[in-house]
Amino acid sequence: MADADVPGQGSGTGTEGAPSRSILRSETLIVLALSLGASALSALISFVGSVTKPGGLKHQAATLNASHAPGRPWLDLAWQLFGIATALVPVALVAHLLLRERAGGLRAVGFDRRRPGFDLSRGVGIAAVIGGSGLLLYLGARAAGANLTVVPEALPEVWWKIPVLIASAVQNAVLEEVVVVGYLLRRLGQLGWSPMAALAASSLLRGSYHLYQGIGGFFGNMVMGVLFVLLYRRWGRVGPLVAAHALIDIVAFVGYAVLAGHVGWLPTR
């Protein structure tokens, strides 16, 4: 198997028709600037604002899925679908770039329909392990004053609420795992980064764009990032990671919609 076919590896020297390293470096920066790199900077600014605001972090809230047109459900739905669709544009860009270098598009990072049973079964297992521990970490960090109160959804009680929350969860999973794991590791390998440095960069980026939640969100997602990189290198597929991430977010979003205000252990504001 050629280096360019191995997840997170590849010479990137520009030989045999492959893009040069300078082009690969520019493309990587553009993809990140249009997606999760920009989110990381936004999260950092948000975190600075939260830390410097009077009162503790746990008395502030970070809302993940909010209404964009209160009192106007059809307009709100249009905005929700628009946001979900446009957030996936960087994934389309990644697919285009991988097709251009004749790597097979998203198949090169294992996001395809070749092994649905494998992807789903592994995803369920990962979600079961990470989901519960992640919730405990969040509750502990919030109690210690190191995290904002995360409000997974604040949508109106309309018929499209649950479908939109599920779609939002899937969008998050596809964007993050394709860009931060599959694409970034491949490009960093082609640019000559060591496996450890690439792992650190991927997990640090994942933690950074969750910094708006607080210190707990940052470190919790960094640990998740390390695990996801190791599993990706073991399996050569982001499919299981997308499945796991989607399941975790679906449970968080829909679970909050169902349980908020009905159980005492779940913070709401």
Side-chain angles (χ1 to χ4, degrees):
M1 179 180 292
D3 281 349
D5 296 325
V6 179
Q9 297 185 15
S11 61
T13 58
T15 59
E16 298 181 2
S20 67
R21 288 193 176 188
S22 61
I23 291 176
L24 293 177
R25 188 179 298 110
S26 298
E27 287 180 352
T28 303
L29 292 174
I30 290 171
V31 169
L32 294 179
L34 291 173
S35 59
L36 296 164
S39 296
L41 181 57
S42 173
L44 175 61
I45 296 171
S46 177
F47 177 69
V48 171
S50 297
V51 170
T52 55
K53 185 177 180 179
L57 290 179
K58 70 178 181 179
H59 298 299
Q60 302 175 51
T63 304
L64 306 188
N65 294 281
S67 174
H68 296 304
R72 306 182 68 184
W74 286 104
L75 182 61
D76 201 347
L77 174 59
W79 277 118
Q80 298 294 338
L81 297 178
F82 172 80
I84 291 169
T86 53
L88 290 173
V89 171
V91 177
L93 176 59
V94 165
H96 167 75
L97 295 174
L98 294 177
L99 280 171
R100 191 198 60 183
E101 68 175 88
R102 297 182 176 86
L106 295 181
R107 185 173 183 173
V109 298
F111 187 58
D112 52 35
R113 295 178 292 178
R114 285 179 296 172
R115 305 181 67 186
F118 177 89
D119 293 344
L120 184 58
S121 62
R122 297 302 189 278
V124 169
I126 299 169
V129 172
I130 291 181
S133 57
L135 176 60
L136 292 176
L137 175 62
Y138 159 65
L139 294 175
R142 181 182 178 277
N147 223 73
L148 284 75
T149 298
V150 177
V151 180
E153 69 86 19
L155 298 176
E157 296 297 330
V158 289
W159 64 269
W160 49 259
K161 176 176 181 174
I162 300 303
V164 162
L165 290 175
I166 293 173
S168 176
V170 173
Q171 170 255 297
N172 289 341
V174 172
L175 174 64
E176 294 186 34
E177 306 318 325
V178 168
V179 173
V180 178
V181 179
Y183 178 75
L184 184 59
L185 290 181
R186 180 182 180 87
R187 284 294 186 253
L188 293 181
Q190 292 171 318
L191 290 170
W193 287 47
S194 70
M196 184 60 68
L199 180 150
S202 177
S203 57
L204 180 61
L205 176 59
R206 187 186 296 268
S208 297
Y209 59 76
H210 286 95
L211 192 56
Y212 68 92
Q213 298 177 8
I215 299 297
F218 174 76
F219 283 108
N221 280 280
M222 271 193 63
V223 173
M224 177 177 167
V226 171
L227 175 62
F228 274 27
V229 167
L230 295 177
L231 292 176
Y232 174 65
R233 286 175 172 165
R234 178 181 178 86
W235 296 328
R237 296 184 59 78
V238 298
L241 310 183
V242 171
H245 193 151
L247 288 171
I248 291 170
D249 280 7
I250 288 171
V251 171
F253 296 169
V254 177
Y256 185 89
V258 172
L259 297 177
H262 300 288
V263 293
W265 55 265
L266 183 62
T268 56
R269 288 293 178 183

